[in-house]
């Protein structure tokens, strides 16, 4: 199979079809029997073998820690010591026999020294996809990769909290912690995971981390320990995955998965209507598309459309632009947006306006909201705040400061991300009414993630990520501000730098009681609402489309690396 990406003619994602046009397209697709994928030889159906087709929208370059990666891809082909049920948020052992326990003596905490020891026991007989034994030494090796200062690891929180790992035998992992960490008994693959020493040790020992990070091992030659192994890799646009019979939790019921990256939402809609795809993952179907499918497809008994507010959409103002360093400016720009009207327009009455980076399913949510500042639509208040910050209307109505600088800046979103593009147009119009001008400059994902653009923008940017409390440290701690020195890999893209906030996050990640954890969450949300490192817009409805006959799919309550819809692929079945 050629590694060159197959060129597929596609309608731009932003050019949404009318319902009549879509139904016509879907009818043609169904009549023709298949959507054409030039140059791709698909897996031929074989009697007695179960195959499913999945559509995702994000092209990836890596199945490891780094580069462009995707939770769903990784959780199908690899596994960690512990996993997480995305519905109950319960931690469950995967490659480990059980979670370390204070009661059993496998989790020892020294509160005075602020150190800990956790002991994990691997399940017997674990294997890599190439059949070689999976041992405790492989986990230690994975940690060594993650903590290497020159490896492009996006988050070193957990690797750097580990002082050493001992491996007294092939199945025992003894982790020594140099600080208190409340997730120490539930180390997941997003924190630290094993990699095969027998394949990577020589390249790692050579010391060239740039070359090491770009090895073909990380994609087309990937060897993991998940329920499925990589059989074919077509430049991240298509993967053929074969069931791994020796998976720790049992042989998968599905034999083969064809995973296609399909960026065009109209192509995905047509494929669902034509019965050519079994599972469309998040962002492959727009909210409008989900509405169509519920009316035309789900009601006909052809499958199920799941919609859940699992992630969070925000607007970030450049940390490099001194205008936005004034909290009055940030607050004014949020007051100027009628988020209720915008969300009603975008999501047909779904009440998903957000004020905080906290999921509504969390116990602390109502108290956190009550304690936090809420910025209701108030354009007059917005104008007043801007005037206090030194911005006055010019002859043309555009605001200018004492230096004569006009409040005009670049406004980016991910090109062809329709909901973000729609929000961008609405927000730009609201800002125009108070004297703020924007210049639209949208980019595809591959350019936004390129070396010159990653994690930074000159003006405003609409993005989204999870609201998982356990990942606040990654998103908001000052240690995780992207810089040239760290290759702009960390995820505090707002640049929020506040020692008090950092101390709060540090305590939240330490060993605290549930009541104290809840109080810290409330305090953090209050600080967030006052500082406004991001302007909160809305919870993003996540759409999953599952064809009738495919069982085991569980929509997520929260997004994030620890929560994936493919967490339990070994239990999926096709009836």
């Amino acid at each position: 199979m050629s590694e060159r990406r197959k060129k597929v003619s596609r309608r731009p994602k932003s050019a949404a079809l009318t319902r009549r046009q879509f139904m016509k397209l879907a009818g043609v697709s169904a009549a023709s029997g298949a959507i054409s994928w030039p140059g791709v030889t698909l897996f031929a159906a074989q009697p007695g073998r179960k195959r499913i087709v999945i559509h995702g929208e994000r092209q990836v370059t890596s199945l490891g820690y780094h580069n462009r990666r995707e939770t769903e891809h990784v959780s199908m082909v690899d596994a960690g010591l512990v996993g997480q049920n995305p519905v109950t948020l319960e931690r469950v052992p995967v490659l480990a026999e059980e979670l370390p326990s204070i009661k059993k003596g496998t989790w020892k905490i020294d509160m005075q020294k602020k150190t800990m020891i956790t002991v994990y026991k691997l399940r017997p007989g674990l294997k890599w996809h190439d059949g070689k034994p999976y041992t405790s030494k492989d986990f230690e090796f994975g940690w060594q990769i993650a903590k290497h200062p020159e490896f492009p690891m996006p988050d070193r929180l957990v690797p750097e909290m580990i002082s050493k790992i001992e491996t007294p035998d092939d199945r025992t992992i003894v982790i020594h912690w140099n600080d208190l960490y409340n997730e120490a008994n539930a180390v997941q693959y997003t924190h630290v995971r094993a990699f095969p020493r027998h394949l990577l040790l020589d390249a790692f020992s050579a010391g060239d981390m740039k070359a090491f990070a770009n090895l073909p091992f990380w994609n087309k030659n990937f060897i993991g320990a998940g329920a499925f192994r990589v059989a074919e890799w077509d430049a991240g646009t298509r993967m053929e995955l074969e069931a791994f019979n020796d998976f720790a939790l049992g042989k998968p019921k599905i034999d083969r998965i064809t995973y296609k990256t399909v960026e065009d939402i109209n192509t995905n809609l047509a494929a669902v209507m034509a019965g050519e795809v079994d599972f469309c993952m998040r962002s492959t179907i727009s909210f409008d598309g989900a509405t169509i499918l519920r009316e035309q497809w789900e009601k006909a008994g052809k499958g199920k459309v799941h919609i859940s507010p699992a992630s969070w959409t925000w607007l970030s103002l450049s940390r490099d632009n001194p205008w936005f360093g004034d909290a009055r400016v940030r607050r004014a720009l949020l007051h100027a947006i009628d988020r209720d009207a915008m969300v009603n327009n975008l999501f047909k009455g779904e009440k998903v306006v957000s004020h905080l980076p906290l999921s509504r399913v969390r116990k602390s949510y109502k108290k956190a909201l009550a304690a936090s500042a809420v910025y209701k639509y108030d354009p007059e208040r917005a104008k007043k705040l801007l005037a206090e910050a030194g911005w006055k209307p010019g002859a043309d109505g555009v605001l200018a400061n004492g230096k004569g600088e006009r409040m005009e800046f670049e406004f980016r979103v991910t090109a062809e991300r329709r909901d973000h593009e729609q929000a961008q147009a609405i927000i730009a119009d609201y800002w125009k009414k108070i004297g703020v001008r924007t210049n639209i400059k949208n980019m595809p994902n591959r350019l936004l993630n390129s070396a010159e653009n990653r994690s930074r923008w000159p003006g405003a940017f609409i993005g989204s990520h999870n609201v998982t409390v356990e990942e606040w440290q990654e998103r908001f701690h000052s240690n995780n501000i992207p810089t040239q020195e760290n290759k702009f890999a960390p995820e505090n893209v707002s640049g929020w730098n506040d020692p008090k906030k950092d101390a709060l996050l540090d305590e939240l990640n330490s060993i605290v009681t549930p009541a104290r954890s809840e109080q810290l969450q409330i305090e953090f949300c209050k600080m967030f609402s006052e500082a406004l490192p991001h302007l909160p817009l809305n919870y993003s409805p996540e759409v999953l489309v599952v064809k009738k006959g495919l069982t085991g799919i569980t929509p997520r309550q929260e997004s994030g690396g620890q929560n994936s819809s493919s967490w339990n692929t070994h239990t999926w079945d096709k009836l």
Side-chain angles (χ1 to χ4, degrees):
M1 178 66 64
S2 171
E3 291 177 35
R4 184 180 304 164
R5 180 174 178 173
K6 304 297 183 292
K7 294 182 179 179
V8 181
S9 176
R10 44 172 79 116
R11 188 186 309 267
K13 187 182 283 188
S14 58
L17 298 175
T18 65
R19 187 165 303 198
R20 183 185 297 272
Q21 289 170 328
F22 165 68
M23 296 307 295
K24 182 177 179 181
L25 174 63
V28 169
S29 178
S32 64
I35 290 176
S36 175
W37 286 79
V40 175
T41 303
L42 296 180
F43 169 74
Q46 298 178 23
R49 282 173 60 82
K50 298 179 180 181
R51 169 182 173 257
I52 63 171
V53 176
I54 297 176
H55 281 196
E57 56 85 36
R58 186 176 184 184
Q59 183 181 359
V60 301
T61 61
S62 173
L63 296 170
Y65 287 130
H66 60 301
N67 294 340
R68 293 186 65 191
R69 63 205 187 285
E70 166 60 55
T71 297
E72 305 294 356
H73 291 73
V74 175
S75 63
M76 285 189 278
V77 300
D78 210 354
L81 299 176
V82 177
Q84 183 161 298
N85 183 321
V87 178
T88 64
L89 305 185
E90 177 190 6
R91 275 69 169 179
V92 292
V94 182
L95 300 184
E97 286 188 324
E98 62 182 10
L99 274 60
S101 160
I102 294 174
K103 184 177 181 180
K104 293 185 177 181
T106 50
W107 186 7
K108 298 177 181 179
I109 304 171
D110 189 325
M111 297 297 290
Q112 277 193 323
K113 294 181 179 179
K114 293 189 175 181
T115 60
M116 302 184 300
I117 296 175
T118 51
V119 180
Y120 288 85
K121 195 77 170 181
L122 296 174
R123 295 179 188 272
L126 294 181
K127 294 180 181 179
W128 292 105
H129 289 160
D130 63 359
K132 299 295 184 181
Y134 177 115
T135 74
S136 56
K137 285 288 186 184
D138 293 313
F139 185 86
E140 181 185 19
F141 177 59
W143 167 63
Q144 291 168 346
I145 294 172
K147 72 183 182 73
H148 195 289
E150 295 178 18
F151 186 79
M153 182 78 176
D155 174 40
R156 288 193 173 85
L157 171 67
V158 174
E160 291 183 350
M161 291 180 76
I162 297 173
S163 56
K164 69 175 179 178
I165 292 178
E166 295 177 317
T167 55
D169 58 58
D170 285 349
R171 290 180 53 206
T172 305
I173 301 168
V174 182
I175 303 177
H176 294 256
W177 302 81
N178 56 34
D179 205 346
L180 304 179
Y181 179 52
N182 60 1
E183 296 275 303
N185 70 327
V187 174
Q188 302 185 45
Y189 69 80
T190 53
H191 300 142
V192 180
R193 57 176 158 140
F195 290 109
R197 291 173 73 252
H198 64 282
L199 297 176
L200 295 175
L201 181 59
D202 287 347
F204 180 74
S205 300
D208 186 342
M209 286 299 105
K210 184 176 181 179
F212 182 74
N214 289 299
L215 289 173
F217 167 85
W218 301 111
N219 40 64
K220 68 176 183 177
N221 294 340
F222 188 78
I223 297 295
F228 289 82
R229 64 175 183 83
V230 177
E232 294 181 34
W233 172 278
D234 189 6
T237 63
R238 184 181 67 89
M239 292 194 305
E240 291 289 338
L241 307 177
E242 279 280 356
F244 181 46
N245 294 343
D246 293 319
F247 178 55
L249 301 182
K251 178 183 177 181
K253 297 175 182 178
I254 301 294
D255 296 295
R256 182 96 169 189
I257 294 177
T258 297
Y259 188 107
K260 302 176 185 177
T261 300
V262 185
E263 297 175 350
D264 180 51
I265 58 174
N266 298 319
T267 300
N268 286 317
L269 278 168
V272 172
M273 295 295 286
E276 295 169 354
V277 58
D278 297 282
F279 181 24
C280 274
M281 289 186 167
R282 57 184 184 273
S283 301
T284 52
I285 301 292
S286 67
F287 185 84
D288 288 342
T291 301
I292 292 173
L293 289 175
R294 278 187 164 174
E295 294 176 0
Q296 303 291 333
W297 182 78
E298 185 177 83
K299 286 183 178 179
K302 295 183 178 180
K304 179 68 176 175
V305 179
H306 300 276
I307 301 177
S308 59
S311 58
W312 183 55
T313 295
W314 41 263
L315 188 152
S316 188
L317 300 165
S318 174
R319 63 182 183 272
D320 299 321
N321 188 324
W323 301 347
F324 305 131
D326 190 325
R328 293 171 296 185
V329 173
R330 300 195 298 274
R331 292 167 185 167
L333 292 175
L334 186 54
H335 270 305
I337 305 168
D338 189 342
R339 289 175 290 165
D340 289 303
M342 181 179 74
V343 164
N344 187 61
N345 179 282
L346 294 177
F347 302 117
K348 308 298 186 294
E350 292 280 333
K351 297 185 184 301
V352 290
V353 170
S354 70
H355 303 286
L356 305 169
L358 181 68
S359 170
R360 296 184 300 189
V361 304
R362 293 281 180 158
K363 183 180 178 182
S364 59
Y365 176 78
K366 289 184 178 180
K367 291 180 180 179
L369 183 61
S372 301
V374 172
Y375 299 86
K376 295 182 179 180
Y377 177 52
D378 190 343
E380 293 307 313
R381 176 64 177 157
K383 292 176 184 178
K384 184 178 179 182
L385 284 168
L386 288 167
E388 290 174 4
W391 294 91
K392 312 292 183 184
D396 58 357
V398 179
L399 296 174
N401 61 17
K403 298 178 181 178
E405 297 170 326
R406 287 161 51 93
M407 184 165 276
E408 184 172 354
F409 50 84
E410 185 179 297
F411 194 176
R412 292 180 187 174
V413 303
T414 304
E416 301 180 355
R417 175 73 189 263
R418 187 166 179 263
D419 57 334
H420 287 186
E421 288 178 329
Q422 289 175 312
Q424 178 189 46
I426 293 170
I427 292 168
D429 188 56
Y430 279 126
W431 284 348
K432 185 176 181 181
K433 293 175 182 177
I434 63 166
V436 176
R437 295 293 184 270
T438 57
N439 301 311
I440 304 301
K441 187 178 179 181
N442 298 336
M443 299 180 180
N445 238 325
R446 64 180 180 276
L447 287 182
L448 286 172
N449 285 290
S450 63
E452 62 269 26
N453 295 310
R454 186 185 302 123
S455 301
R456 57 204 188 280
W457 36 86
F461 175 72
I462 293 178
S464 59
H465 60 58
N466 68 66
V467 287
T468 304
V469 171
E470 291 75 20
E471 295 188 27
W472 279 355
Q473 186 100 357
E474 299 172 28
R475 306 291 185 187
F476 300 113
H477 200 285
S478 302
N479 289 343
N480 291 321
I481 295 174
T483 64
Q484 187 169 358
E485 289 69 27
N486 58 35
K487 300 180 175 60
F488 298 99
E491 300 185 41
N492 181 3
V493 297
S494 71
W496 187 13
N497 191 346
D498 182 342
K500 291 182 179 179
K501 171 262 302 178
D502 293 340
L504 188 152
L505 289 175
D506 289 338
E507 183 181 355
L508 184 60
N509 270 330
S510 67
I511 308 299
V512 294
T513 65
R516 179 57 180 161
S517 176
E518 183 177 338
Q519 184 57 41
L520 290 169
Q521 292 172 41
I522 294 168
E523 290 178 20
F524 174 82
C525 288
K526 183 175 183 294
M527 292 179 69
F528 175 94
S529 71
E530 293 168 353
L532 282 186
H534 290 311
L535 309 190
L537 297 178
N538 58 270
Y539 294 104
S540 306
E542 184 170 276
V543 177
L544 302 183
V545 177
V546 185
K547 186 178 179 181
K548 183 179 180 180
L550 179 59
T551 65
I553 305 294
T554 54
R556 305 185 296 175
Q557 293 290 327
E558 294 181 357
S559 60
Q562 298 181 12
N563 295 310
S564 69
S565 300
S566 53
W567 71 289
N568 62 338
T569 49
H570 65 290
T571 69
W572 293 2
D573 203 355
K574 187 173 184 179
L575 306 179

